[in-house]
Amino acid sequence: MPAYRFAPLILSALLATGLAGAQTSDNPLLTVSPLPLHYPQFDKLRDEHFAPALDQGMAEQLAEVKAIAENPAAPTFDNTILALEKSGRLLSRTTTLLFNLLGADANPARQQLQTDYAAKLAAQRDAVLLNPRLFARVEAVYAARDKMAPNAEAKRLVERYRRDMVRAGALLNDAQKTRMKAINAELATLTASFNKAVLAEVNDSAVVVDSADELAGLSPAQIAAAADNAKKRGLDGKYAIALLNTTIQPFETDLQNRALRERLHRASVARGARGNAFDTRGTVSRVIALRQERAALLGYATPAAFVLEDETAQSADTVNALLRKLAPAAMASARTEAAELQKLVDSDQAAKGQPSFSLQAWDWSYYADKLRSAKYGFDESQLKPYLEITSVLERGVFFAAQQLYGITFKRRMDLPVYRDDVRVYDVFDTNGKQLAIFIADLYARPSKRGGAWMNSYVSQNPLEGTQPVVANHLNIPKPPAGEPTLLTWDEVNTMFHEFGHALHYMFNQGRYPSLARVPRDFVEYPSQVNEVWADWPSVLANYAKHYQTGAPMPRELLDKVARAKRFNQGYATLSYLSAAIVDQRLHQLKPGQAPTADGIVDFEAQVLKEEGVDFGPVPPRYRLPYFSHIMGGYSAGYYAYIWSEVLDADTVEWLKANGGLKRANGDVLRTKLLSRGGAEDAMVLFRNLVGHEPDIKPLLERRGLVVQKP
């Protein structure tokens, strides 16, 4: 069955409608793209093409499902499960493209489509998963799966279909199903509303500055970009600092003006709770209440219990144990780091002949950069000239993949793109045959949601003979025309991380598309492993070259990068953990306990205090009013990053013990992990790779955390 039916993130964010028009004869969505690997025809696509394709796609899918459900022949794997797996292609193709563009390049027409079709597509999903005759056939195949399934992967597919239908409500009575459909429709509409509001709030909350003097500490290119941003807003002669989706804003590292850092920080944390048209607190409250009701209908005590049953963690108790084991160590490390920063504040103010002040959240990044410079002899400004975007991508990210897996890349300029700064590459396998097409959409824009992510435009599908068209999306500030794009170290790591997702998707060799999906607390694991190559000596030496002279990064600077890896890890860990803990506590509330709109912010503060992670200088990475992860596919799942990092750090130790960056290791990774998708139990894949159960020690060592024994 097309993946969109079972992917909550996609389901909650696609959904669309309403634009009339588009004759079928010129609608590129109604036929498979004739471009290489069925790459989308962005140059021919118009927004008015979506509604007719969605309508036709829904009608076609319902007709296909009806034929399967009412087939007079006895249920078999082929006429039921395999038939479902092949159904709904037009709808899947259309929703995939719409969802991807809503994330990467939203506009009012696409957002209106999302709003108008949210409930319709939720109802479409329910019409399939809650169809009693269809479920009866799936149940019959499931009961005889040992005989009917032609192989172990097919058996797993049968079990996946049955499980998804049960978790959707297939075992409910008619009245309960009716209520479930209403809940799903409202949730889809609310999520679309939340996504639209968060994007609008980010653009509305930009901090406007009157004078370039206030921007001391920023580079000339950053100041020029702020001036250009203001000009686009009709504010000629001023400067506008656009916000990114995280709580802490990147410019807080460089701005010397403390009052401006505070303005920037307060604008960031106020998002979604300002009482304006973009206030999301009521939406968050209602979503949690509906998720509680849905979980209760399905027999689960809380939304977290429902979600985690389908993950490798399996229970809230397991997740709580991990988070509460790490939180005290992260807090202790963060307090130690804060004490060091406070000393720097005191000495810095004394040198100026000015009174000192207590370290605040808007001071941390600024003074942490100063402290890192003092302790390790470098700061971001020293690194950036060696981290030019094209070199990092092609001579770093691609080079590491070539060394490890033997795949090669070639940029192509002939395929259409939805934005001029989007890049496209052919990816070739070790035998010289094309493996995939890779899209690199790296720059921030007002129409793009925050963060970084991977998605696919075309899936690997042996049933149709298709190969992947995969995209990575980042939000790197775009410099003025003619200026180089020089990255921060975090942005370099993010580029390697997201390409790890792309590799996982490109290498999947499963027979059935629906089994490409892996648990959310496992999907981050291979991508986090790929981050190890960012500062691997041979990789770093290949891409870290001065953008003007081509000179390699000096050896002493490379060494400083390596020595500073543990720096500020208490802060980074606590900021992340506090957000993950709030997510868990919110979704572990029982029906009737959802905070009201006015109580959302207070609930967050109460949880931070109760869990011992309330530390003013280190705010949560996301606050609830703009925590897009948990309104989408990571509800009760933000813990997944640290859960996956346990597996990641353990795997990196395995890589190092076996010689690191070499083809033999890449072949093992590809064969035992990356090519398997969800065709086998996730933790079995991990154990097959490293040869033992997960060990938390490598993670603690990496982050410099010490967990006290009970």
Side-chain angles (χ1 to χ4, degrees):
M1 194 176 291
Y4 88 89
R5 293 186 191 145
F6 298 127
L9 179 61
I10 295 176
L11 278 168
S12 64
L14 330 152
L15 322 176
T17 194
L19 299 181
Q23 298 297 316
T24 58
S25 60
D26 69 349
N27 190 334
L29 294 173
L30 298 181
T31 57
V32 174
S33 170
L35 297 177
L37 305 195
H38 305 311
Y39 181 94
Q41 300 179 81
F42 293 116
D43 55 335
K44 296 183 178 180
L45 180 65
R46 301 194 304 274
D47 291 332
E48 57 265 30
H49 289 142
F50 281 109
L54 287 166
D55 291 338
Q56 183 171 326
M58 287 192 290
E60 287 183 6
Q61 185 192 40
L62 290 179
E64 291 164 345
V65 168
K66 184 175 187 294
I68 296 167
E70 298 179 2
N71 187 344
T76 66
F77 176 83
D78 284 352
N79 71 18
T80 302
I81 305 300
L82 193 59
L84 283 170
E85 193 72 352
K86 294 178 178 179
S87 68
R89 292 305 174 204
L90 172 57
L91 183 59
S92 180
R93 185 167 67 242
T94 304
T95 51
T96 295
L97 185 55
L98 176 61
F99 169 67
N100 289 349
L101 289 177
L102 277 165
D105 194 24
N107 62 30
R110 292 167 187 168
Q111 289 175 329
Q112 189 60 49
L113 280 164
Q114 181 183 19
T115 298
D116 292 345
Y117 266 89
K120 291 183 181 180
L121 282 177
Q124 179 82 5
R125 178 179 185 268
D126 288 337
V128 176
L129 296 180
L130 299 181
N131 183 316
R133 298 184 68 173
L134 180 65
F135 180 67
R137 294 183 68 85
V138 171
E139 188 82 305
V141 177
Y142 174 80
R145 62 193 181 280
D146 290 335
K147 294 181 179 179
M148 286 194 179
N151 51 60
E153 195 171 339
K155 179 180 176 182
R156 187 169 178 85
L157 181 66
V158 174
E159 293 168 348
R160 182 76 262 176
Y161 267 91
R162 199 260 181 187
R163 185 178 184 84
D164 284 331
M165 295 184 81
V166 169
R167 285 172 59 82
L171 296 178
L172 300 179
N173 62 39
D174 289 344
Q176 291 171 323
K177 285 181 181 178
T178 298
R179 180 56 192 153
M180 181 66 76
K181 291 175 183 178
I183 291 172
N184 290 339
E186 188 176 354
L187 280 172
T189 301
L190 288 169
T191 307
S193 173
F194 179 89
N195 293 337
K196 183 178 179 180
V198 167
L199 181 59
E201 179 78 306
V202 165
N203 292 322
D204 188 67
S205 298
V207 174
V208 178
V209 178
D210 293 330
S211 168
D213 293 341
E214 297 181 71
L215 301 178
L218 300 187
S219 68
Q222 289 172 322
I223 294 173
D228 186 57
N229 190 12
K231 186 175 182 179
K232 290 177 180 177
R233 297 167 182 267
L235 299 171
D236 288 20
K238 296 183 183 294
Y239 304 84
I241 301 175
L243 299 186
L244 297 185
N245 64 323
T246 51
T247 294
I248 298 299
Q249 298 299 307
F251 281 3
E252 292 178 37
T253 301
D254 301 311
L255 285 170
Q256 297 173 10
N257 186 321
R258 186 171 189 248
L260 181 54
R261 293 201 306 268
E262 182 177 356
R263 277 185 63 201
L264 187 61
H265 181 80
R266 292 193 182 281
S268 177
V269 298
R271 284 174 291 156
R274 295 193 293 157
N276 60 5
F278 314 127
D279 196 306
T280 61
R281 290 172 294 176
T283 301
V284 173
S285 174
R286 181 60 179 161
V287 164
I288 297 304
L290 289 170
R291 286 175 178 171
Q292 291 173 340
E293 185 181 358
R294 180 179 62 186
L297 272 174
L298 294 170
Y300 297 87
T302 67
F306 169 71
V307 168
L308 295 171
E309 180 195 57
D310 209 32
E311 308 300 328
T312 64
Q314 296 190 330
S315 75
D317 288 344
T318 303
V319 174
N320 291 342
L322 175 66
L323 297 179
R324 288 169 179 161
K325 183 176 185 179
L326 293 173
M331 175 64 87
S333 294
R335 288 190 180 279
T336 299
E337 292 166 1
E340 281 193 280
L341 295 181
Q342 186 64 57
K343 291 179 182 178
L344 184 56
V345 170
D346 294 342
S347 63
D348 194 41
Q349 290 299 100
K352 297 176 183 177
Q354 297 175 358
S356 190
F357 52 81
S358 296
L359 181 77
Q360 301 295 330
W362 50 87
D363 299 314
W364 191 293
S365 297
Y366 179 75
Y367 284 97
D369 198 50
K370 280 178 170 286
L371 182 61
R372 181 171 54 185
S373 180
K375 293 183 72 170
Y376 302 102
F378 82 92
D379 55 30
E380 288 283 6
S381 65
Q382 287 180 285
L383 289 180
K384 279 187 173 184
Y386 298 95
L387 304 178
E388 191 276 327
I389 192 169
T390 300
S391 183
V392 173
L393 178 63
E394 297 181 356
R395 297 175 59 86
V397 174
F398 291 171
F399 173 77
Q402 182 178 357
Q403 295 296 299
L404 190 62
Y405 302 109
I407 60 178
T408 55
F409 304 82
K410 183 179 180 181
R411 188 169 180 182
R412 60 187 304 167
M413 309 296 291
D414 58 319
L415 292 176
V417 291
Y418 51 88
R419 284 280 183 156
D420 291 342
D421 54 13
V422 173
R423 312 178 189 205
V424 182
Y425 296 85
D426 282 331
V427 186
F428 299 98
D429 213 336
T430 54
N431 58 7
K433 294 182 179 180
Q434 187 156 14
L435 174 68
I437 289 176
F438 174 70
I439 298 171
D441 180 2
L442 306 178
Y443 288 109
R445 62 181 71 96
S447 60
K448 193 179 195 178
R449 71 175 174 89
W453 69 96
M454 183 225 84
N455 58 27
S456 67
Y457 284 93
V458 181
S459 301
Q460 182 269 347
N461 185 348
L463 302 180
E464 293 188 342
T466 58
Q467 295 170 267
V469 176
V470 180
N472 277 174
H473 303 273
L474 277 69
N475 267 282
I476 297 167
K478 192 172 186 178
E483 295 285 339
T485 304
L486 305 179
L487 306 183
T488 66
W489 188 247
D490 281 346
E491 289 166 343
V492 171
N493 270 291
T494 299
M495 195 177 289
F496 276 86
H497 176 99
E498 294 305 328
F499 196 70
H501 284 303
L503 288 169
H504 196 185
Y505 202 85
M506 288 190 288
F507 285 156
N508 176 48
Q509 290 298 309
R511 294 182 179 92
Y512 308 109
S514 290
L515 290 184
R517 180 169 57 104
V518 300
R520 287 175 303 181
D521 58 5
F522 192 81
V523 73
E524 298 297 336
Y525 156 47
S527 59
Q528 290 178 178
V529 170
N530 203 59
E531 292 179 37
V532 72
W533 311 122
D535 63 353
W536 198 262
S538 62
V539 178
L540 192 61
N542 197 62
Y543 74 81
K545 300 179 185 295
H546 198 282
Y547 78 98
Q548 290 176 316
T549 67
M553 183 184 287
R555 180 72 251 175
E556 58 269 25
L557 192 53
L558 294 177
D559 292 341
K560 290 172 183 177
V561 171
R563 287 199 300 269
K565 287 184 73 171
R566 288 186 183 176
F567 179 75
N568 214 38
Q569 281 299 306
Y571 174 92
T573 306
L574 183 61
S575 177
Y576 162 78
L577 285 176
S578 57
I581 288 169
V582 169
D583 167 37
Q584 279 302 312
R585 286 284 300 272
L586 184 66
H587 286 95
Q588 289 175 22
L589 294 174
K590 295 181 179 180
Q593 295 180 341
T596 63
D598 291 339
I600 286 290
V601 173
D602 289 341
F603 170 81
E604 179 182 85
Q606 179 184 346
V607 168
L608 296 176
K609 185 175 182 179
E610 290 176 354
E611 296 286 346
V613 289
D614 179 20
F615 188 35
V618 187
R621 182 171 174 80
Y622 301 99
R623 300 192 67 195
L624 287 175
Y626 52 88
F627 202 166
S628 295
H629 286 76
I630 67 170
M631 288 297 107
Y634 279 73
S635 62
Y638 194 60
Y639 77 94
Y641 292 91
I642 201 77
W643 183 272
S644 293
E645 195 178 349
V646 172
L647 309 181
D648 150 38
D650 208 354
T651 301
V652 168
E653 292 303 305
W654 173 86
L655 279 167
K656 291 177 179 177
N658 287 277
L661 186 69
K662 63 180 186 180
R663 278 294 312 281
N665 285 339
D667 289 344
V668 173
L669 278 169
R670 184 172 179 176
T671 300
K672 291 190 174 183
L673 176 66
L674 300 177
S675 66
R676 300 298 293 146
E680 198 169 351
D681 180 82
M683 295 309 296
V684 170
L685 296 179
F686 171 81
R687 289 191 292 270
N688 287 345
L689 177 66
V690 302
H692 58 252
E693 294 294 327
D695 184 355
I696 198 173
K697 291 179 182 177
L699 168 66
L700 301 176
E701 172 71 18
R702 171 190 290 181
R703 289 184 173 246
L705 303 177
V706 177
V707 176
Q708 299 296 325
K709 294 181 179 180

